[in-house]
Amino acid sequence: STTTPGTTTGTTTTGTTTTGTTTGTTTTSTTTTSTSTTSTPSTGTEALHTFMPSDENILYTGRWSFEDPDTPWCAWQACSFVVQFEGTGLQVILDAGTSTEYFRVIVDDDHENSVKFPVSNRVETYDVATDLPWGTHKVEMVKETYQGTNATVHGFGVFGPGLVPPPERPARKLMFYGDSNLAGASLSHEENRGGAEYIGTHFGLAGITSRMFGAEYHNVSASGETIHGLNTRFDRMDWW
């Protein structure tokens, strides 16, 4: 099953509740790992194995900066990463930058039941997939909004043996430039209401078109922009 991701801090790993402080954060809270019963070879209390963002089994798409491979960051909407793993759940450590950003998590290519959730402007751990049946799973996370500066990935945790090789990168590549329409502004509100919670690129024109063509894509779009206005930003890592 997929649940709305929640933030946790702490370590570890036996399927019981533990308390701890995550390095690099200013918050302390309690985390409960999955205790669901799964089929063999699962024990039902999967250990948490952690991985750095630089792991070769993580597939990044979009304008990511790898100046520091262990803290990659992105700015533009539609930046994404795919993690495939063996186990029952996945945690991701994220920092949205200067403003809350919204991400979408898609488990095992189930776009219809994907979940969009806010990521705060501090380092926190998010349970993005929990209580999955034992086996190999694919989790894709897409940055839906571009409200502040840069979102940074700080780490991953797998409840199970660990990561497996990612899917092959699509051969087709698409680049989109546009204004607020292409950025997905008010996409989730039929009366055109503003607010980050209503913005989304995954189910906008750029995201849908790319999936129809089986392509990866970049979406360099901003509210009120024109081809003339974007002419200095076509190849930039971020707006600023």
Side-chain angles (χ1 to χ4, degrees):
S1 63
T2 305
T3 58
T4 302
T7 60
T8 61
T9 60
T11 54
T12 251
T13 63
T14 59
T16 58
T17 302
T18 60
T19 303
T21 302
T22 300
T23 302
T25 69
T26 57
T27 59
T28 303
S29 63
T30 301
T31 178
T32 304
T33 59
S34 170
T35 57
S36 63
T37 301
T38 54
S39 60
T40 306
S42 168
T43 64
T45 54
E46 307 307 330
L48 177 66
H49 294 89
T50 59
F51 300 89
M52 297 300 293
S54 57
D55 194 288
E56 63 181 5
N57 288 313
I58 300 165
L59 181 65
Y60 295 91
T61 298
R63 295 191 177 182
W64 289 89
S65 171
F66 295 97
E67 184 176 0
D68 181 349
D70 286 330
T71 54
W73 60 264
C74 70
W76 295 103
Q77 59 275 324
C79 291
S80 66
F81 55 82
V82 172
V83 180
Q84 290 197 151
F85 63 93
E86 185 178 18
T88 61
L90 179 71
Q91 290 183 341
V92 182
I93 305 173
L94 294 169
D95 170 15
T98 58
S99 179
T100 296
E101 300 283 2
Y102 281 80
F103 279 72
R104 182 172 296 277
V105 56
I106 305 108
V107 178
D108 295 331
D109 293 318
D110 185 359
H111 297 270
E112 182 178 358
N113 293 304
S114 60
V115 175
K116 178 181 173 183
F117 69 99
V119 172
S120 71
N121 60 347
R122 58 183 179 273
V123 179
E124 294 198 50
T125 301
Y126 297 86
D127 291 306
V128 298
T130 60
D131 297 319
L132 300 175
W134 172 268
T136 299
H137 296 281
K138 173 186 175 183
V139 172
E140 178 182 5
M141 289 191 62
V142 180
K143 187 172 184 283
E144 289 272 43
T145 60
Y146 186 6
Q147 298 293 295
T149 53
N150 306 320
T152 304
V153 181
H154 292 270
F156 298 87
V158 172
F159 290 99
L163 303 180
V164 299
E168 291 187 12
R169 187 177 293 279
R172 295 188 179 95
K173 305 178 190 303
L174 297 176
M175 180 73 73
F176 294 87
Y177 298 101
D179 57 13
S180 57
N181 293 299
L182 200 55
S186 303
L187 182 71
S188 301
H189 199 278
E190 62 183 12
E191 296 180 358
N192 205 35
R193 181 175 295 175
E197 65 270 31
Y198 302 119
I199 299 173
T201 185
H202 189 68
F203 289 116
L205 175 65
I208 292 173
T209 301
S210 299
R211 288 192 294 280
M212 290 178 68
F213 280 95
E216 65 176 39
Y217 74 106
H218 294 194
N219 188 353
V220 181
S221 301
S223 179
E225 273 301 353
T226 62
I227 292 176
H228 180 268
L230 276 172
N231 66 3
T232 61
R233 293 185 167 90
F234 287 144
D235 298 317
R236 292 181 62 128
M237 291 296 297
D238 57 17
W239 173 265
W240 310 105

